[in-house]
Amino acid sequence: LRIGPEHVSRQPSDTYYVNHDTVLRTHTSAHQVELLQSGLDRFLVVGDVYRRDEIDRSHYPIFHQMEGVKLFTPAELAPAQGNPDRELQLIQDDLKRGLEGLATHLFGPTEMRWVEEYFPFTEPSMELEIQFQNEWMEVLGCGVVHPEIVANAGRNPNQDKGWAFGLGLERWAMVLFDIPDIRLFWSQDERFSSQFASGQIVSFQPYSKYPPCYKDISFWLPPTQDDNDNDKNDNYQFHVNDLNELVRGVAGDLVEQMELLDEFTHPKTQKVSQCYRIYYRSMDRSLTNAEIDALQEEVRRLAESELNVTLR
């Protein structure tokens, strides 16, 4: 998929490693080449995917993705009269028209926009964002299949051209059923699951009015790597996703959101301080201050011991 060793998605801060050679699937695009090799020209793939990501109402470390690929027949490309630029435009127009039509079919008239993006396996690449709860939410990534992907499948990139998309099913369901928080999909509460039935589209009726409880954590970041320092801990490079995973590991689905409040660089030492606000909220019950204080204290303890930060 043209994802080289230096690509950011290969970093442990972004991907779950089982061991040095095995990772949890990060996207259904992983199946593109094998299915193109099998001779398929168009297909859909659905599967569970796993990513270390930020903490908010639209991100979760596991979700479900649908991949779609379509290669065009010579007859479908004929209007471009063999002009590569016109073929590219024809494929993009077909892709956008189909995905905009899908969104309109499911959601009715809704505000949406296209944003240019970069993916190694498509060129050009873009994301579709939909207005949801007064914010823009990215619901899919897509683009024209990169010629190298076609060649990696043992096919002729000069003849086999088409598009690919990958959409997060939970986010589409959030818009379709008006579900405000992605954590609800993993709830065991019957007040959530009993609202839905196969073949019926209904608007979710909130049953939780429990207020959030927030706590702040401030720390100095660990020093940057020193080639002369053999201490492994001192060479650790802080990444916010490591903090996200630590907080999730302690609080589970009680953590609703984490945001960077402030960043400060000391003018003399050049040390960097960051302050994060962690929002805790249960979908099912009220949380006590004592309960959250205990979680926050564990977050602080582990942040200092595992992330090598200096608490403030």
Side-chain angles (χ1 to χ4, degrees):
L1 289 177
R2 303 182 70 249
I3 301 177
E6 75 289 344
H7 195 274
V8 64
S9 66
R10 287 206 182 198
Q11 298 299 316
S13 58
D14 284 60
T15 295
Y16 289 103
Y17 276 78
V18 178
N19 53 48
H20 181 74
D21 300 312
T22 306
V23 301
L24 298 184
R25 179 172 49 204
T26 58
H27 45 61
T28 46
S29 303
H31 301 285
Q32 275 190 27
V33 170
E34 63 178 305
L35 292 173
L36 289 172
Q37 283 176 332
S38 73
L40 293 176
D41 290 333
R42 49 194 71 186
F43 51 83
L44 294 172
V45 180
V46 181
D48 48 335
V49 296
Y50 305 81
R51 297 180 190 172
R52 295 164 65 99
D53 216 331
E54 58 194 286
I55 298 176
D56 60 30
R57 293 185 179 188
S58 64
H59 289 86
Y60 204 73
I62 173 175
F63 61 99
H64 296 82
Q65 193 174 57
M66 174 180 284
E67 186 86 7
V69 171
K70 172 186 174 182
L71 297 185
F72 283 63
T73 66
E76 289 172 321
L77 289 176
Q81 299 178 334
N83 184 298
D85 291 336
R86 293 177 63 181
E87 288 180 343
L88 186 67
Q89 191 62 53
L90 185 152
I91 293 170
Q92 285 190 83
D93 291 345
D94 182 78
L95 173 63
K96 288 184 174 181
R97 185 166 55 248
L99 293 174
E100 288 175 356
L102 173 63
T104 301
H105 172 73
L106 287 176
F107 310 139
T110 186
E111 192 173 0
M112 63 185 81
R113 68 183 183 184
W114 290 100
V115 179
E116 291 186 6
E117 192 42 272
Y118 166 77
F119 305 117
F121 30 84
T122 52
E123 179 62 37
S125 305
M126 61 208 96
E127 291 180 339
L128 179 63
E129 295 183 346
I130 289 178
Q131 186 74 198
F132 180 61
Q133 295 184 339
N134 299 316
E135 294 182 355
W136 288 106
M137 182 170 70
E138 180 259 313
V139 293
L140 64 84
C142 63
V144 177
V145 178
H146 198 284
E148 287 186 25
I149 302 300
V150 178
N152 289 343
R155 303 179 65 155
N156 186 345
N158 295 319
Q159 295 179 356
D160 295 332
K161 302 178 180 181
W163 49 246
F165 68 81
L167 60 86
L169 292 173
E170 279 86 351
R171 288 190 181 179
W172 285 72
M174 288 174 71
V175 179
L176 186 62
F177 296 98
D178 200 25
I179 296 172
D181 195 308
I182 197 169
R183 292 177 299 162
L184 282 164
F185 289 102
W186 302 93
S187 172
Q188 301 298 312
D189 196 314
E190 289 189 358
R191 290 176 295 176
F192 176 75
S193 57
S194 63
Q195 295 190 34
F196 308 100
S198 179
Q200 299 179 16
I201 298 177
V202 298
S203 292
F204 170 65
Q205 299 301 313
Y207 56 83
S208 171
K209 301 295 184 181
Y210 303 113
C213 177
Y214 67 82
K215 302 288 182 179
D216 295 343
I217 180 171
S218 300
F219 47 76
W220 295 104
L221 297 185
T224 57
Q225 184 166 338
D226 183 350
D227 292 336
N228 296 321
D229 192 338
N230 295 321
D231 189 326
K232 181 179 178 181
N233 288 331
D234 286 344
N235 290 343
Y236 167 74
Q237 300 298 293
F238 176 83
H239 193 288
V240 66
N241 278 351
D242 294 334
L243 180 60
N244 287 330
E245 283 301 304
L246 187 150
V247 172
R248 277 200 177 102
V250 171
D253 284 354
L254 293 183
V255 59
E256 178 179 76
Q257 183 177 353
M258 188 178 77
E259 62 180 354
L260 177 65
L261 283 186
D262 184 59
E263 183 172 274
F264 165 75
T265 301
H266 194 284
K268 292 185 178 180
T269 66
Q270 296 302 301
K271 291 176 61 178
V272 178
S273 170
Q274 290 184 342
C275 177
Y276 290 88
R277 175 158 293 175
I278 305 171
Y279 294 86
Y280 299 91
R281 189 205 306 255
S282 170
M283 295 289 163
D284 311 317
R285 60 186 177 84
S286 292
L287 300 175
T288 66
N289 271 326
E291 179 182 14
I292 298 306
D293 284 344
L295 293 176
Q296 185 72 5
E297 186 57 36
E298 181 66 1
V299 167
R300 290 173 56 84
R301 184 186 71 81
L302 291 176
E304 190 167 41
S305 63
E306 296 186 7
L307 304 185
N308 203 27
V309 299
T310 304
L311 296 177
R312 300 189 64 185

